[in-house]
Amino acid sequence: MGTVRYYARIYVMIVAQYVKARMQYRLDFFVSTVAMLMANAAGILFFWVLFKTIPRLSGWSYPELLFVYAYSLLSLTPLQMFFDNVWQLKFHVQDGSFIRYYLKPLNMMFYYMSEVFDLKGLSHLFLGAGAMVYASAQLHLSWSPGKVVLLCLSVFSSALVMISILIMSASVSFWVLNSHYLTIFAYKLRDFAHYPLDVFNRPLQVLFSSVVPMGFIAYYPSQLFLRARGSLVPIVASPAVGVLLFVIACGVWSLGTRKYAGTGS
Amino acid sequence: MMRYLGVTRNAMMCGFTYRLQFISSLLGNLVLIVVTYFLWRSIYDHASPTLAGMSFEQTFAYLALAAALASIFRTWMEWDMSRAIVNGSVVMTLAKPIDYQTYLFFQNLGAVINNFATLALPSIVFVVAVFGIHLDLGVNIPFFAVAVVLAGCIAFTIDYAVGLMSFYTEIIWGLSTAKDVIVMLCSGMVIPLGFYPADLRRVLEWLPFRAIYDVPLTILTSRGMTVAECGHLLGLQLAWALAGTLAVKMLYRCAIRVVTVNGG
């Protein structure tokens, strides 16, 4: 417990410094927040336009898809807010500044990720929560306290899926210097988390449930709350998948940091 | 002119140093096309054979080619511009006896040629080989080629304008993301404009963004386009390209005054 308090205190201190530094670019902060909101709303607009023409998408109604989309926004919030520094890893590794993370008596991933705290990630949270409330009302879902707790737990685990995928892809830069495009590719896959997996054919469904487990960001876990389709196994297993992936990602990260030798300057 | 072509050659050579980038970008593009295929296949299978006046073949050809075009036009130019502002290297370019916009245009051309050869061409070959594209091709091919060139000019102008705006904000992420979203939604890049409700479509027809994706793709995928109709669409693109060029020239005059570079 003492460790947790120690880390929480340090986190607040580092973030406070970061916020001060960011205040230098106030105009950018405003533009970025608006842009982030727009990017997230664009996905909703896509479905809205589509459902003007068709009544159902592979058996899914508009509010059901909206629910899945809202779930995916919620589960991408922690990645955006607390792990955004993952994008800079390549640059730190290339110019050697990554070496300083070895020099503090802190968990390296914690120290590294704590250096960026992205407030605009809150736009995911607000838009996601808003869309979920709207979709639940349309679908007449009843939310008991138990279900809300389940939602929090499952969102926590789903959040770890994308976090782990990005950490692993960024960690490649410890071995191969230019891994940025791998990270961009991995991040692009996130877009497919918004669609119901059952529009794809069998091989792709298997792919998105195993090698690139995008299905666990929103599609499977959101069915804990909607009526379930197909096999129950991935739906029930979904809360464990994120945690498992995160353990693997931490392993890859620490292997990478042990391998990294700096740039010699 | 020759010195500008040298810039293009340089940009192409620079691009070739990052081979891993090609592979992952190409892979990303192919995955996007496959997902587009299944998504729309499923949309059409559960609805009628024609939606918004387009068959599945037309819609898929439209969107797959939109993905190919998008991979050509994506050169991250505005990111390079903002990086040059933040680290100060922009003064090296501004001090040279060349026009900044022309310089960037030819540098961008190098990246565009690279993208065409390494991303768009393989993507199109993949689509034709795996899914097949069933279109009435003929007189619309030369019109399509001209439309793509004009679309590229308009896309460049928009990217350049966003890059210039980073002279004010210094950081590009927000501006570039906002631009990407607006272009994506208003141009027909992810959903053919025919699918939009009529009122919304009327608004979009007055905006420049459709000239980037919707115009060339409509020319290629619509059945029975007359020469006059194609000519009209090309004229629209030309008008936007000229208006855009004028607008960014004025923006440059304002933006160049705020450039501040600390020390050296």
Side-chain angles (χ1 to χ4, degrees), chain B residues 159-218:
Chain B
D159 284 0
Y160 178 63
V162 170
L164 285 179
M165 281 190 253
S166 78
F167 284 32
Y168 295 95
T169 60
E170 300 199 354
I171 294 178
I172 191 78
W173 189 93
L175 287 171
S176 176
T177 306
K179 176 214 57 172
D180 285 345
V181 173
I182 293 171
V183 171
M184 187 178 86
L185 286 177
C186 301
S187 66
M189 193 176 132
V190 287
I191 186 162
L193 287 193
F195 279 81
Y196 283 73
D199 298 334
L200 210 53
R201 205 164 60 225
R202 228 163 297 144
V203 176
L204 296 181
E205 273 168 10
W206 284 98
L207 296 176
F209 308 107
R210 70 174 286 234
I212 307 176
Y213 293 101
D214 185 57
V215 167
L217 297 170
T218 304

Side-chain angles (χ1 to χ4, degrees), chain B residues 46-255:
Chain B
H46 292 81
S48 54
T50 23
L51 293 172
M54 291 169 85
S55 68
F56 169 72
E57 280 75 23
Q58 280 172 307
T59 303
F60 177 62
Y62 183 109
L63 292 169
L65 285 171
L69 281 185
S71 70
I72 297 179
F73 298 151
R74 174 155 289 277
T75 57
W76 312 98
M77 179 183 77
E78 70 270 30
W79 291 81
D80 293 337
M81 285 172 74
S82 109
R83 205 169 300 135
I85 283 289
V86 172
N87 69 20
S89 64
V90 66
V91 292
M92 301 301 290
T93 318
L94 291 175
K96 284 178 189 147
I98 47 173
D99 177 56
Y100 187 55
Q101 188 183 348
T102 318
Y103 169 80
L104 284 177
F105 182 84
F106 280 93
Q107 194 175 47
N108 204 44
L109 185 64
V112 163
I113 294 171
N114 278 357
N115 284 344
F116 175 74
T118 58
L119 297 177
L121 213 55
S123 300
I124 293 171
V125 169
F126 172 83
V127 170
V128 173
V130 176
F131 302 113
I133 286 195
H134 313 278
L135 290 174
D136 299 338
L137 299 175
V139 68
N140 48 5
I141 293 258
F143 283 109
F144 174 69
V146 177
V148 168
V149 173
L150 286 171
C153 292
I154 298 169
F156 166 79
T157 314
I158 293 175
D159 284 0
Y160 178 63
V162 170
L164 285 179
M165 281 190 253
S166 78
F167 284 32
Y168 295 95
T169 60
E170 300 199 354
I171 294 178
I172 191 78
W173 189 93
L175 287 171
S176 176
T177 306
K179 176 214 57 172
D180 285 345
V181 173
I182 293 171
V183 171
M184 187 178 86
L185 286 177
C186 301
S187 66
M189 193 176 132
V190 287
I191 186 162
L193 287 193
F195 279 81
Y196 283 73
D199 298 334
L200 210 53
R201 205 164 60 225
R202 228 163 297 144
V203 176
L204 296 181
E205 273 168 10
W206 284 98
L207 296 176
F209 308 107
R210 70 174 286 234
I212 307 176
Y213 293 101
D214 185 57
V215 167
L217 297 170
T218 304
I219 289 177
L220 197 69
T221 56
S222 306
R223 292 209 177 99
M225 283 277 273
T226 63
V227 173
E229 281 171 325
C230 291
H232 171 78
L233 287 174
L234 292 185
L236 183 90
Q237 277 188 309
L238 196 64
W240 276 119
L242 291 177
T245 310
L246 262 175
V248 290
K249 284 253 187 282
M250 288 196 301
L251 181 60
Y252 176 75
R253 291 240 177 103
C254 304

Side-chain angles (χ1 to χ4, degrees), chain A residues 89-90 93-94 98 102 166-180 182 248-262, chain B residues 20:
Chain A
L89 185 64
K90 170 205 154 184
V93 165
Q94 262 177 13
F98 188 77
Y102 289 84
L166 277 200
I167 288 177
M168 283 191 268
S169 69
S171 296
V172 173
S173 63
F174 290 123
W175 288 274
V176 188
L177 281 182
N178 194 353
S179 76
H180 203 49
L182 193 65
I248 299 172
C250 289
V252 173
W253 165 278
S254 70
L255 269 182
T257 54
R258 251 175 275 154
K259 161 84 179 36
Y260 183 61
Chain B
L20 190 70

Side-chain angles (χ1 to χ4, degrees), chain A residues 104-115:
Chain A
K104 295 263 159 57
L106 290 170
N107 175 290
M108 273 177 71
M109 193 194 288
F110 167 83
Y111 182 31
Y112 180 75
M113 295 300 174
S114 69
E115 288 209 316

Side-chain angles (χ1 to χ4, degrees), chain A residues 54-59 198-199, chain B residues 40-48:
Chain A
I54 55 166
R56 277 172 177 272
L57 171 59
S58 176
D198 46 18
V199 304
Chain B
W40 288 87
R41 184 76 265 175
S42 154
I43 290 170
Y44 273 88
D45 283 349
H46 292 81
S48 54

